[in-house]
Amino acid sequence: MSIAHAGVAAWHAYMNSGGDAALLSAQVADDAVFHSPVVHSPQEGKAKVMLYLLSAAKVLGNESFTYVREIIDGNDALLEFTSVIDGIHINGIDLIRFDDEGKIIDFKVMVRPVKAVNKLWEMMAAQLQAAAG
């Protein structure tokens, strides 16, 4: 099994866990970077990446969320997903790069259509604010 295949299997275990922070923490490298579809600048470091990924799991992780396609090449994986939030159909991808130990070092999310991006921006802002206390 390749590094990315193992990393994707671990990612699915996390997603199926209902957002287990310990499972996610074991997968994210200390110098990981997160690229949000709604925040211009990359979010650098494990703490910020964890914050965004945990928040995204709460926002997107409803009963309609599903991965519909996976493309794996070397240390890279592209996971296409669909979800429905407030009647808005969301289509997106998670583009994940793993280091040679199988930890996430780069995580980029892209979402379409624009209506879905706007809904995610609204919901992620609220979730991130709640997580910050």
Side-chain angles (χ1 to χ4, degrees), residues 2-125:
S2 75
I3 288 170
H5 281 94
V8 168
W11 176 255
H12 285 308
Y14 160 70
M15 289 297 288
N16 291 330
S17 76
D20 184 327
L23 278 178
L24 180 60
S25 182
Q27 295 177 49
V28 177
D30 290 340
D31 59 348
V33 178
F34 180 79
H35 307 270
S36 167
V38 296
V39 176
H40 174 69
S41 59
Q43 302 301 301
E44 298 178 352
K46 184 172 184 167
K48 284 186 180 178
V49 172
M50 292 277 301
L51 176 64
Y52 275 82
L53 290 177
L54 289 167
S55 295
K58 288 180 181 174
V59 168
L60 287 167
N62 62 41
E63 65 280 348
S64 71
F65 182 89
T66 187
Y67 282 110
V68 295
R69 182 171 27 171
E70 296 181 358
I71 301 169
I72 298 174
D73 182 34
N75 285 19
D76 296 303
L78 182 145
L79 310 177
E80 181 182 3
F81 63 86
T82 62
S83 189
V84 178
I85 297 176
D86 292 344
I88 297 172
H89 293 269
I90 298 169
N91 178 230
I93 62 164
D94 293 334
L95 183 59
I96 309 168
R97 174 165 289 150
F98 300 92
D99 65 15
D100 289 337
E101 285 76 49
K103 292 189 179 250
I104 295 168
I105 57 170
D106 196 83
F107 200 111
K108 183 182 291 182
V109 180
M110 294 189 225
V111 174
R112 62 168 299 279
V114 170
K115 184 165 55 169
V117 174
N118 292 337
K119 177 52 78 174
L120 282 179
W121 178 85
E122 170 191 321
M123 295 184 76
M124 281 294 292

